[in-house]
Amino acid sequence: MMARKENSAEYGRHVIKLETVKRYPIIVGDGILSGLEGYFDFSVYFGIALITDTTVKKLYGQSVLALLEATGKKLSLLTLPVGERAKSLNIVERGYRFLLENNIDRKGLICALGGGVVGDVAGYLAATYLRGIDYIQLPTTLLAQVDSSIGGKVGVNFEGKKNMVGSFYQPSAIISDVSFIKSLPPAEMRNGMAEVIKYGLAMDEELFRLLDQKKEKELNTAELQDIVMRCCQLKAGIVEADETERTGQRAILNFGHTIGHALEAATKMQALSHGEAVAIGMAAAARISEQVGMLDQGNISSIENLLSKFGLPIYCQGVNPDDLLSATRFDKKTTRGQTGWVLLKGIGNGVTNQPVAEDVVRKALMEICR
Ligand SMILES: NC(=O)c1ccc[n+]([C@@H]2O[C@H](COP(=O)([O-])OP(=O)(O)OC[C@H]3O[C@@H](n4cnc5c(N)ncnc54)[C@H](O)[C@@H]3O)[C@@H](O)[C@H]2O)c1
């Protein structure tokens, strides 16, 4: 399930046209942000609010502000704190005040420049301020380019629970400049690679083989651009088919996440990053797939080797498998006490909503916790 890709002569870059409630483009390329004005019609807006975080502001704030200034529109800048703590209703309230003080009205545009945190918060502000104003995503992390900027899920955390408050609200454009990735710290690169590998395992065998055949974990710009484009097409295809997570198709994107979330809960998110937890979750889901006869033993080692090559863990020594097992029961994807597992019927072929006996899950958990 892949969305259509166009090689636009006008843009000279890859463009996907996403068909949701709103039709909008995803544009992927290297160094494309410098041509920002050519990709998006700013002329219909009265004011532009650029929202970013302190780290991204230091790295790219000046250059992006200069590009936006060229539109001749009234410009304002809101800088969020770095990291998950920015995903709060307090920050959202600060955002409303900022938009109001800067006279952003229904003819205003929000530009989200940053990783998934900035995208989720800025998107939520756009979804709710004045009952909804336009926003565009300028994602700067690998994770945001391949995943979080696409599909319109926006929101914040509440009472310690991730993404408890939010909406489905599509952006007006996503402009993914892979040159941003060059400044990403290795840990953030690994987080993004976990999601890239997820697409390969659950949806795209060719992507898996492409990553598997690479000797080095470093990706050059052309490879990065192709990978980001491929993942955008995969996610766009799913989002088009199941925009508001009603038909169950979007669940394929949760491959590795049931145990991943359980690990984050069991370790209180201290020991592992999200990408690391998902990597272990994918390794465990592959073992479960093998135990129920869907996957060959040989595939398990290929999957584990690939995760390890990109610096991702496949074991979580010291974690109690029983704690993990009970945490899987509380995963938000559990319905009526039954966890619907995403398993692999071969590499590149994920299947959703699979019932799995608890002793099979326990065996896999004991193996990854050893
Ligand atoms: N909306 C969705 O569909 C969706 C999907 C997946 C994840 N998410 C959310 O995304 C968030 C995680 O996103 P993330 O991994 O991008 O984290 P993030 O936004 O916290 O960014 C990670 C770190 O990288 C820094 N950074 C960003 N761009 C940089 C660059 N180019 N160079 C150097 N440093 C840079 C940031 O300042 C931050 O410190 C979570 O809150 C998660 O819930 C949302």
Side-chain angles (χ1 to χ4, degrees):
M1 192 184 290
M2 265 205 186
R4 281 171 300 110
K5 180 176 92 173
E6 291 172 15
N7 278 317
S8 163
E10 185 189 345
Y11 300 136
R13 300 293 167 196
H14 303 297
V15 181
I16 301 171
K17 298 251 166 72
L18 213 102
E19 309 252 5
T20 53
V21 153
K22 200 176 202 170
R23 192 167 194 268
Y24 63 93
I26 305 176
I27 304 164
V28 179
D30 178 34
I32 55 170
L33 214 66
S34 54
L36 188 60
E37 262 199 280
Y39 307 134
F40 187 71
D41 183 11
F42 290 93
S43 68
V44 295
Y45 300 102
F46 285 164
I48 301 175
L50 178 65
I51 302 185
T52 190
D53 71 20
T54 45
T55 301
V56 179
K57 181 185 163 190
K58 265 186 224 137
L59 290 165
Y60 303 108
Q62 278 314 317
S63 53
V64 176
L65 275 174
L67 290 170
L68 290 172
E69 258 158 26
T71 63
K73 304 290 170 184
K74 188 180 163 294
L75 211 55
S76 47
L77 171 70
L78 173 66
T79 310
L80 306 179
V82 162
E84 205 57 31
R85 73 202 150 113
K87 281 180 63 170
S88 76
L89 287 174
N90 283 342
I91 296 283
V92 168
E93 205 178 318
R94 226 172 80 190
Y96 293 144
R97 224 168 273 127
F98 159 84
L99 294 169
L100 205 58
E101 281 161 11
N102 285 283
N103 303 314
I104 297 291
D105 61 12
R106 293 196 52 79
K107 286 274 183 188
L109 174 76
I110 290 178
C111 297
L113 174 74
V117 165
V118 169
D120 282 9
V121 175
Y124 187 63
L125 282 168
T128 50
Y129 179 72
L130 299 177
R131 299 198 181 90
I133 63 170
D134 286 355
Y135 76 113
I136 61 173
Q137 294 270 16
L138 309 174
T140 62
T141 62
L142 180 58
L143 182 133
Q145 295 195 351
V146 299
D147 187 2
S148 64
S149 67
I150 312 155
K153 271 192 182 179
V154 296
V156 295
N157 307 328
F158 184 65
E159 298 286 349
K161 297 211 164 33
K162 285 262 300 175
N163 305 322
M164 270 294 285
V165 178
S167 181
F168 288 95
Y169 191 69
Q170 303 294 339
S172 299
I174 303 170
I175 302 168
S176 270
D177 188 333
V178 296
S179 70
F180 283 130
I181 308 292
K182 288 171 198 150
S183 57
L184 265 193
E188 299 304 337
M189 191 68 196
R190 285 197 294 276
N191 269 334
M193 278 313 295
E195 300 298 336
V196 171
I197 293 171
K198 175 194 80 180
Y199 286 111
L201 289 176
M203 297 175 73
D204 185 356
E205 187 180 0
E206 217 176 295
L207 173 59
F208 177 87
R209 301 281 164 229
L210 200 135
L211 296 169
D212 193 41
Q213 277 153 21
K214 274 192 64 64
K215 294 217 161 38
E216 307 292 325
K217 68 171 180 177
E218 276 70 34
L219 302 166
N220 64 37
T221 306
E223 288 169 329
L224 204 53
Q225 192 171 314
D226 282 351
I227 286 169
V228 170
M229 189 67 208
R230 226 182 158 97
C231 296
C232 287
Q233 274 183 280
L234 290 163
K235 177 131 186 203
I238 291 285
V239 169
E240 282 175 349
D242 186 12
E243 183 171 349
T244 51
E245 225 165 47
R246 307 257 154 159
T247 66
Q249 282 153 288
R250 211 161 161 151
I252 193 88
L253 300 169
N254 295 328
F255 176 64
H257 284 61
T258 300
I259 291 175
H261 288 151
L263 259 170
E264 288 181 310
T267 60
K268 305 221 168 6
M269 296 191 198
Q270 275 158 14
L272 296 164
S273 71
H274 179 68
E276 288 169 337
V278 169
I280 297 168
M282 291 193 286
R287 282 170 187 266
I288 295 174
S289 308
E290 192 259 334
Q291 281 172 41
V292 299
M294 286 187 184
L295 201 63
D296 294 340
Q297 176 64 47
N299 291 146
I300 306 291
S301 359
S302 319
I303 293 169
E304 292 184 349
N305 287 343
L306 184 69
L307 290 167
S308 306
K309 179 165 79 186
F310 285 99
L312 290 159
I314 49 178
Y315 296 110
C316 50
Q317 281 101 343
V319 177
N320 183 338
D322 285 323
D323 289 349
L324 272 186
L325 191 63
S326 23
T328 61
R329 296 191 198 111
F330 288 99
D331 188 66
K332 64 180 173 201
K333 269 75 191 182
T334 301
T335 36
R336 285 181 228 102
Q338 180 82 51
T339 304
W341 291 85
V342 187
L343 300 180
L344 298 182
K345 238 183 193 166
I347 286 178
N349 187 19
V351 281
T352 60
N353 208 21
Q354 299 295 304
V356 179
E358 206 159 275
D359 57 331
V360 173
V361 179
R362 183 179 281 108
K363 182 167 182 288
L365 292 178
M366 284 172 70
E367 286 172 11
I368 61 155
C369 291
R370 68 180 175 190

